[in-house]
Each structure stands twice: as C-alpha cells, then as structure tokens.
Amino acid sequence: MRADQPTFGNQKYLPSLPVPNLDATCNQLLEWVRPLVDEDSWHRTQSAVEAFRRPGGDGETLQARLLEWARQKDLPNWLEPFWEKKYLKSRIPIPINVNFSTVCDHTPETVKLGQIRRAVLLVRLALEFKSLLDREALSVDHSGGQPLCMMQFKRMFSAARIPQRGIDLIRSPVSEFQSTSPFEKHIVVLRNGHIFSMTV
C-alpha cells in the first residue's frame, strides 16, 4: 500500500474488518455499562455477561456464527450490513442524530458575511471537496500509519434516502438498487418551505 495512492486506490489492499474476540467484546460491554448503572444493576449485568461467555454458552455459539458470516468472500466488512440495516430502519430524526453536517466557524470574518453569504461559502467548500473526490485527489485517511477505507465518501454526494415501510432505501452512485449518477450538476435549496433545484 502506498501513501500517495488516489483516494480509492488502497481499497483492494485493505484487510477485511476483523471480528473482535468474545472476551474483548464482553469486557468492552462491561466497561461501557459500568458508569451508567447502579450497584444492583451492575452485579446483574456482570452475572449475565459471565453466563454468556462461559465455555459452551450462548456467546461461543454466536461468536462462531459471526466468524462464519465474516468469512464470506464478498463481504470485506462483516459489520456493514448490520450497520446499514440499523441506520435504514431507524425512525429517529436523521439530520441531527445520524447524518454528517457542516458549519462555518463562528469567527468575526464569517459572522460579518451574513446568512446567505455563509450558505454560499458552505456550498462552495462542499463543491471543492466533491471535486477532490471526483478527481480522486483527496488524501487517504490513516490511523496508526495504516490507510483506512474511503468508500463512505462515495455516498456523500448524489445520494438520497428513500422512505419505505419498515426499512428505507439508499440511492447513491454505489447503490446496488437504482444507483445515481455521481455527476449531477445541481444542489437542492430549501427556503421558507419552498424547494429549489439550483445548478452549480
């Protein structure tokens, strides 16, 4: 893997997402739960986790099934189908709880621009970012010196969540169902209850 690869140039070299071992998962659950519960609940949680991970228990059975699931050749990220299903079934408000958002720093320069000029600045910066993606000139993200998967960026633009009963659909340039064109030339502007398509 090279550090100077195009944005999506390392994808085929990335290892599959590893499945954490059962003890690590149980220990992390206990660590996360501890500050949230009282003593009685804590002891019951500890007992339930210990029963779950004992040899021959449900934990071993489920861990074996998860490892089998993760070995599928066409599944580089065993967690993605579960995560996507959870995301698409959720009925909490999307804009403030799930999706990314962008804000301008509250500096004297941006404050004096006013709302419309700040919106224009955000649009311009978003389009510059999209241009980097389209040209695969965006630097690859790294963690601990290792390149990270960049595929989430392919769903950042030209994408829509389509409401459905039970579980919604995602349309994006990489969707298996009704993929969209990554080369759209418009944005959608909402203003006073009106929706405008604006060529950019």
Side-chain angles (χ1 to χ4, degrees), residues 53-185:
R53 72 165 142 195
R54 75 172 177 260
D58 289 341
E60 279 191 358
T61 302
L62 291 172
Q63 184 76 6
R65 287 184 185 173
L66 185 57
L67 288 168
E68 182 181 340
W69 166 266
R71 280 193 288 271
Q72 295 177 73
K73 296 212 181 304
D74 61 341
L75 192 69
N77 181 339
W78 62 269
L79 186 57
E80 185 175 352
F82 299 109
W83 188 251
E84 186 166 290
K85 189 173 183 181
K86 179 175 175 27
Y87 168 71
L88 293 174
K89 286 182 86 170
S90 175
R91 294 299 179 244
I92 61 173
I94 300 298
I96 60 170
N97 292 295
V98 180
N99 285 356
F100 65 90
S101 61
T102 307
V103 295
C104 282
D105 288 340
H106 212 62
T107 64
E109 292 79 22
T110 58
V111 169
K112 71 182 178 186
L113 287 177
Q115 185 178 20
I116 292 173
R117 288 178 186 260
R118 276 185 284 166
V120 170
L121 176 62
L122 283 174
V123 169
R124 192 195 87 205
L125 293 174
L127 292 172
E128 287 177 8
F129 187 82
K130 184 179 186 314
S131 177
L132 288 173
L133 284 176
D134 290 346
R135 293 181 286 119
E136 292 201 43
L138 183 69
S139 299
V140 176
D141 289 338
H142 287 75
S143 177
Q146 296 298 312
L148 297 176
C149 177
M150 299 292 284
M151 288 303 290
Q152 69 274 16
F153 290 111
K154 286 192 179 270
R155 290 183 168 180
M156 196 169 186
F157 297 98
S158 302
R161 179 173 171 154
I162 313 298
Q164 305 283 303
R165 287 191 186 277
I167 184 166
D168 297 341
L169 295 172
I170 287 239
R171 290 189 60 206
S172 76
V174 292
S175 295
E176 291 179 20
F177 172 77
Q178 296 180 352
S179 59
T180 58
S181 167
F183 306 110
E184 296 292 350
K185 303 292 185 198

Side-chain angles (χ1 to χ4, degrees), residues 19-30 48-64 66-67:
V19 176
N21 71 50
L22 181 60
D23 279 334
T25 301
C26 291
N27 292 339
Q28 190 165 57
L29 173 70
L30 290 171
V49 169
E50 293 312 315
F52 180 78
R53 72 165 142 195
R54 75 172 177 260
D58 289 341
E60 279 191 358
T61 302
L62 291 172
Q63 184 76 6
L66 185 57
L67 288 168

